[in-house]
Each structure stands twice: as structure tokens, then as C-alpha cells.
Amino acid sequence: MIFDGFVNQLPDTDPVETQEWLDSLDAIVDTYGKSRARFLLSKLLEHARENQVSFPATVSTPYLNTIPREAEPWFPGDEFLERRIRAYVRWNAAMMVVKANKAAEGIGGHLATFASSASLYEIGFNHFFRGKDDGTAGDHVYIQGHAATGMYARAYLERRLQDDDLDHFRREIARPGQGLSSYPHPRLMPDFWEFPTVSMGLGPISALYQARFNRYLLNRRIDDTSQSRVWAFLGDGECDEPETLGALSLASREKLDNLVFVVNCNLQRLDGPVRGNGKIIQELEAVFRGAGWNVIKVILGSKWDELLAKDKDGVLLNKLNTTVDGEFQRYSVENGAYIRDHFFGPDPRLRQMVAHLSDEDLVNLPRGGHDYRKLYAAYKAATENLGSGAPTAILCKTIKGWTLGPEIEGRNATHQIKKMNKQQLLALRDRLYLHDELPDSAFDDDRLPYFRPAEDSVEYQYMVERRRALGGSIPKRTTRQRRTVNLPAEGAFTELYGGSGGQAVSTTMGFTRLLRNLARDDQFGQYVVPIIPDEARTFGMDSLFPELHIYASQGQKYEPVDHAMMLSYTESAAGQILEEGITEAGAMASFLAAGTAYATRGVQMAPFYTFYSMFGFQRVGDLIWQAADSRARGFLMGATAGRTTLMGEGLQHQDGHSLVLASTVPPCQAYDPAFAYEVAAIVCAGLHRMYAGPESERDVFYYLTLYNENYPMPAMPEGLDPAHIVRGLYRWQAAPEGPSKRASLLFSGSAQGAARAAAAELAEHHDVGVELWSATSYKALREEGLAVERWNRLHPGQPQRTPLVAQLLGDGAGPVVAVTDFMKIVPEQVARFVPNRPFVPLGTDGMGRSDTREALRRFFEVDTGHVVVAVLSALAAQGDIKPEQVAEAIHRYGIDPDAVDPYLV
Ligand SMILES: Cc1ncc(C[n+]2csc(CCOP(=O)(O)OP(=O)(O)O)c2C)c(N)n1
Ligand SMILES: [Mg+2]
């Protein structure tokens, strides 16, 4: 096997010497065995590294703690008190789940995740995580979603929560005011939770980009983030999500030594073992190290150290290396005799090694993740890593359900267990040494007691003192602003209000100009964060490169091939554009970091994430939902929108449904503008709302479609109030005088072309005067309609209100035909609210295909001819014209009435 091109392709300058080294190694293997050989090789490599003889890092190391006992630092805490505090937190975390399920059968919650990770968090709380009370932004801590109970339990001890709060875990509606959300949800507990994590994989990727965004803020001199570390807690099962590990190399490439992943390796996920036949810790080590991370394994608790010291033949190490996780799980539920027989048993040297230990001692040989000293050493090493350039992953081996008793601990079903009977609770109490605090009588009458020490107890004093020293309690979300933001001057928008003066341009081009105007604004400009995956040229946004520069933490170390050109690819450490490469998930994570900076950093940033609209909601919909949970603010710009506007690209590119998906996200303000001035008016209103509006209305984000079809952009109609654009519908053009019939045509986005041409045709050839309306947001109209309907339903006897669409369209004559480059269901959202007039949606239902715009619009039946026919057909259905007139039009526009339904092919 060719192991390394280096040794095979360069000449050997001294073959005799080489052979001597190889012979020595052979001799070692023959005489002392492979373990000794491995030991010597490792020593040699270590020594080489010390002498700056660089050598590619191996990706895996033996199944041992990375930090040896000799290198462990002094533990500065009070071990006794911290153990007490951990026991209280553990108790309350379990109790709130048990209680919740007793009060409401099936309400759920999790015992086992936090039980396995209590020490992982407590070490952080007592010694590392920095809070915000000193006016800084502190650390950013991403908590494993299913460990939320532990955070509530600690907040209870700290007096941030009371009994009644814990009693309302997962009962958010039951109590006027607030219950405790099931998982970390800033949308539901905006003063407590900062980062939603429970959709597996999204916590890790957002933490990673948060660490990167902190560097961006620092390099751009917007905020001093140098003291903030990002801690992300994740499950080992969670590492199977592509989002969890998919962006690791970014962290090392960007030298994010401000980032720490703590992986709770309890070897289990929901159904069973994460890697029954393998070793998840070894696998993760290889992945992280291969990606350039600093990896610290915390596998074995202190009691193993003396055994390892005796392991002269390497038999124990060999056993640890070769035991698969499925077996380790078995040992976690078996008794000492079984462990002696099966783990230590087969090899007499191993059996001898533990001859002095009782069966109980063997059961109590702990995993490293339950050993606060080992954890402290690992966290300390991670925090001292700043300046090394490497992010750190701490892989902690734990037992799922630890301390919860034999029926729960380490069992395959442990994740789902939510109940404990009295006997199990008493056993847990005993295990946690809480007899004094919780005597048997505390459980009388089936009571389920919480426990917290008095405020004048040493335990309480200790824990609050620790938090005080570290900057206050966490998690805590604040929206305290550390910078004032002045909104951009009017001129940035008004330029677009004037139209393009006859020049054919697209709304995308209009937006690019707007973005440049905003970024140029004296005051506001610096807060604009343009985010683009590898698509700027597609959108014509490469024009921003030379002016705003692409953010590159290392600057630009080369002269780009296009350096002599106007639009050269300019990178700089102070660059403003986040050019993310081909990762919509990563770009969304940047959007999240920028869009929540007003809370996490106290600095309002304005992200504009522009992407291929097809690869937005359907590709990263869960991250968009997370943005909604996070209360992120900013603009999602869905470029190359439309099923027929993007020519040629076909089925996987042409988006006719992102607006349908957008309508499922409540805080998302979704718009489908037809003209550049509409884009400007919507962005202007969005900025005012999110950055200067009433506090209760700010936590929204905007989704705007952008098209690449060029046409002359009209000026904003004289006298039009921009607020009418923003509310979702306004009359763009009155019906011409003269024709005897009437109809209203609603258009959105690039469908404006067919609608306007159809209106002209209808007036000229069919005696129909059409008024044209621009429907910028069916989502907004629908939500307004539903709110009115709800109010009417619940307020009988009071003057009934009328939905806006009904007010606007109710008085018109003839049918309403709505045409869009999206699915018919988009305009259909408001059909119900238009009284007394037929409502006909025309849209692009069906899977896309590649062809010209004309061919596509004919195929999807949204071209001029089809719009005309739809209006006439609706008039005929009302009896206003004869069916023959419709047939005539079908013929006139060359429509094949028996063409295949585009939805079916
Ligand atoms: C995207 C996603 N898929 C599935 C789930 C359901 N789920 C919740 S917890 C869990 C198992 C978690 O295992 P692990 O990451 O190892 O965490 P542990 O509880 O063992 O610490 C699963 C599958 C989820 N929350 N998110
Ligand atoms: Mg797990």
C-alpha cells in the first residue's frame, strides 16, 4: 500500500540509515510487541512536533483521555459544594418532568439527556461560561435542546424561577402569562433562551457561524467580540445530521479558536446505540481532527488512572481500543461480576489488574464525562486555546440517564422515559445523598417535592457568587443596545421610486442598486451585511465586490486573476460581503447570526441574504423556521424567482412555490414585488419596522422575491402612499373609460407583463375595461383577512369589520383574475375574502422544465392569451358574454384547448 506520496516520490538520501531505523522497529515488535512499538512511534511523533519537525496529524489516538493525569490542572472549585449543587439541579430537573407527566399524562419531557450531561453544564456554569451583567455580550452558549430541564432547574436554584414556573414546564398556555417552553425557544421565552437548538444539527451549525460572525464584527471594528466564546453542546447522535459536521472545516479555515463544541457522547440516541458496532468517540475524533480541530477526549474517570499506570503490557489499552460501543453499553447496565468476567476476564493479566477491586468498585469505574476534574481540565485547555487558531471539540463519554437508577440508566428506551415511581424517586434521592433535604415524609400523600437550599445557605451563596464572578446568570436573553443605529437617508430609496426611465432592468438589478445605496449610507451603511452563496454573478451582484469587498479573515494573499478589471474579486479582512460559497445552510446560519446580533451582541445588524429562491425555503426551511424562533431580523431575498421567468434552467431551479412555503412561517413578511420601486418601498418599511418600530412588532424578517426579467421599471404612481404597497395590494392602473364590461386583474412579480398586455388586449379587442392591481403580498392580505374574520366571530353584536381585500375589491365590477408566476394557491389565499365577485387564480402549478419564457408561460397557461381567456371565461360564467366569445379568444391566441394539463406532466 502506498501510504504517503512523500516517501515514495522523493529520493532516499541514506538507505542504510533508513534500514537501521526499520530494523530497530522490527526488533521492538518482535521482542516487546505491537503496543510497545506503537508507544515508541507516538513518542517519536510527539518529540518531532516539539522540535518543529512538522508532520501531518494522525486522525485518531488511543481510546484514552487526551489530557493525562499529570497534566491536569489544580481544580479551583469547592468539590463538596459543587457536588451538592449538582445533586440539587439533577433532582429538580428530574422532578419537573415526572411532575409534568403526572399532572398531564403524555406531556413529555426528557430525563436522560440532562442526567448524562449535568456535569458538562455545571462545570461550565461554575467556572467558564461568561454572562452579560457586566455590560459585555458574554459567551454564547448553545444548550442541547433535550437538556433544557437542567437549565430550568439551575435557574430555580438561583431564584430566577419559582415552584410555580417549574410546575408549568411544557404548560405554556395553562397559566396566564408564561409556562416554561419544552426546549430552548426565544420566541416563547424571550428573556431566557437565546439559541434554539432542538432541531438536531441546527444548533451546531449556527454556533459555528456565530463564532465566525463574531470575528467578522471584530475585523470590521463594529463590536469587540474578542472576549466572547461560543460553546455548543450537542449529542453524539446529533452528529449524524449533515448540518452538525458539514461545516467543520470552515471553523479551522477561519481559525475560530473562540469556538468550543462539547459533544455529550453517551453512546446512545433515541432508539439505541449511536454506533453499536463501532466507536462514536473515535469516529468523531477522526472527523474533527481531520477537519483541523483541536480534539480533547474525556473518556475515563479518575479511578481508571491507577489501572492505566499498571498497564505495562498495553492489555488494558488494547481492550479499551477494541471494545465496541454496543459492549460498553452492556457493561453500563451489568453488575460487577459480569464486567469482571467479560471485560477484564478473558485476559489473565487484565483480571489480575483488578483483582484488588470489588464488584462494586468495577461498576463504579466512571466515565470521564461524569468526572468534574477531567472536565475542568478539558474546558480549561479549550479556553486557553485562544490564539492557537484551532477550534476545540471536547468529546465526553457519559451514560445516558446517569444516576436515574437501573431501570433507566443506559437502557435503550431511556430517552423516552418520562415517569418515575416513588421507589425510583427514593432511590434517586439516595443516590444523590439528599436524605436530609428530602426525608421520606416529603413524599407523603404522593407529593413530588422540589428542593432548593435557603438563600443564606453556603450552597446558594457559592453558586450565586460563582455566577457573579462570571458576569451573571445564563441563559439570559437581552435586547439592550450597545450602539445607536440611524436609519438610512431617504435618498437610498427615492432613487428607485423614479423608475428606470425606459431602460429595461430587472427587480434584481434594482435591488442591487438599493443595497449599494444602503451600504454607502454614512451612518447605516456599516451595519448592512450582504450575504451571498456562490451566486453573486448570477444575480449581477458581483458589481458590489470591488466597492464593499468580500470578507476574508486572512485578507487577500494573492493577486486575483481579474485584478485589472473593474469588477475584480476583492477580498479583505474588513470586507463587508459574506460570500459563503456553495452552502445555503451556512449562509442561513450567517443570516441568523447577523439577524440576532441586536440581542446576542446588542448591535443591530441588517442582513440581506440573497439566494436562488429555489434553494431557500425548501432547502433550508428548518433554518428559516429557526430564524423565526430566534426572533431574527433581516431580509431574505429570493432571486431568480418564478417558475417561468428563469429561462432554460428547468425543474430543479424554477421556483413556483417558495411563497407557499413562506406563508407557513408566521413572522415572515413575504412579498412578490413587480417593480423596483416596490422593492425599495418594502425594504424601507421593513427597516423602519425592524430597527425603529414599536418593540412588540420588530421581531420579523422579510422575504422578497426578485426576478431576472428585464423590463422598463415604471416610476411609483403619482400620489401613491408607499404604505399601500406594504399592506399587500394597491390599484396600479384604473380601468380605461369606454369598454362596456369590467374586470380586475391582480398581478404579482414578473406576471405583471402578461397582466398588462392582457389588459390592453381586452380593452382593444374584447370590450373589457380592466383595472390593474399590484398584489405585493397575499400572505399579508390573508393574515389581515383571518384576523378580521376572527375578531368578527368573537365579537358578535358589535359592528362587523371588513377585510382589507374586500374593502379594496368589493366595490369593483366583474370578475377578479389573479396572475402569478407562483402556484395558484398563492393568490387563492385571499379568494374567500373577496365577496360577490368570482375569483380566478392563474399560476404555475406543476413541475418546471427548461425552455424560453414564452414557451414556459404558454405551457403553464399564464401568458397574455391565457389571461385574456381567463377573464373572458369568468365573464361568460356570469352570463356577461357568450361562450363563443371565449372560444373565439382561445382560437385567436392560438391556445390548444386539449393541451395536456401542466400539473400532470
Ligand atoms: C432534526 C431532528 N430529528 C429528530 C429529532 C428527534 N430526536 C430528539 S432527541 C433524539 C435523539 C438524540 O440523541 P443524541 O443526539 O445522542 O442526544 P442525547 O439525548 O443522547 O444526549 C432524536 C432523534 C429532532 N429533535 N430533530
Ligand atoms: Mg446520545
Side-chain angles (χ1 to χ4, degrees), residues 65-108:
N65 294 339
T66 305
I67 301 175
R69 178 163 59 179
E70 310 81 72
E72 277 171 25
W74 167 254
F75 179 73
D78 183 314
E79 299 163 30
F80 176 77
L81 286 178
E82 289 192 20
R83 192 173 307 128
R84 305 293 308 151
I85 294 163
R86 266 199 314 277
Y88 302 148
V89 177
R90 282 178 178 286
W91 177 261
N92 292 318
M95 188 51 68
M96 62 192 289
V97 176
V98 174
K99 251 186 134 167
N101 283 278
K102 190 169 176 214
E105 171 82 30
I107 201 83

Side-chain angles (χ1 to χ4, degrees), residues 503-537:
Q503 197 192 346
V505 296
S506 64
T507 48
T508 312
M509 289 157 81
F511 166 67
T512 303
R513 182 170 283 255
L514 174 64
L515 187 58
R516 200 196 52 198
N517 291 351
L518 294 175
R520 276 184 185 172
D521 188 274
D522 269 359
Q523 308 266 322
F524 187 74
Q526 59 180 318
Y527 301 114
V528 171
V529 186
I531 305 170
I532 326 172
D534 192 26
E535 215 66 73
R537 290 180 202 281

Side-chain angles (χ1 to χ4, degrees), residues 144 235-238 264-270 274 400:
Q144 221 185 321
D236 47 0
E238 184 171 15
N264 175 18
C265 297
N266 51 29
L267 314 189
Q268 284 181 262
R269 43 184 168 75
L270 194 150
V274 179
K400 196 151 175 172

Side-chain angles (χ1 to χ4, degrees), residues 141-182:
V141 186
Y142 289 68
I143 286 142
Q144 221 185 321
H146 298 75
T149 46
M151 307 308 116
Y152 293 139
R154 176 167 248 271
Y156 172 71
L157 295 188
E158 290 179 7
R159 292 337 194 241
R160 298 170 65 203
L161 296 177
Q162 310 307 330
D163 285 54
D164 192 55
D165 294 308
L166 299 201
D167 281 346
H168 285 85
F169 173 54
R170 292 190 165 223
R171 300 299 298 275
E172 300 184 78
I173 300 161
R175 182 177 58 167
Q178 271 280 272
L180 301 185
S181 60
S182 45

Side-chain angles (χ1 to χ4, degrees), residues 91-147:
W91 177 261
N92 292 318
M95 188 51 68
M96 62 192 289
V97 176
V98 174
K99 251 186 134 167
N101 283 278
K102 190 169 176 214
E105 171 82 30
I107 201 83
H110 299 83
L111 295 166
T113 302
F114 181 69
S116 65
S117 53
S119 300
L120 272 48
Y121 291 103
E122 283 298 308
I123 282 290
F125 282 125
N126 286 324
H127 302 282
F128 295 99
F129 303 157
R130 274 190 294 244
K132 308 168 191 285
D133 288 0
D134 57 0
T136 67
D139 284 350
H140 307 310
V141 186
Y142 289 68
I143 286 142
Q144 221 185 321
H146 298 75

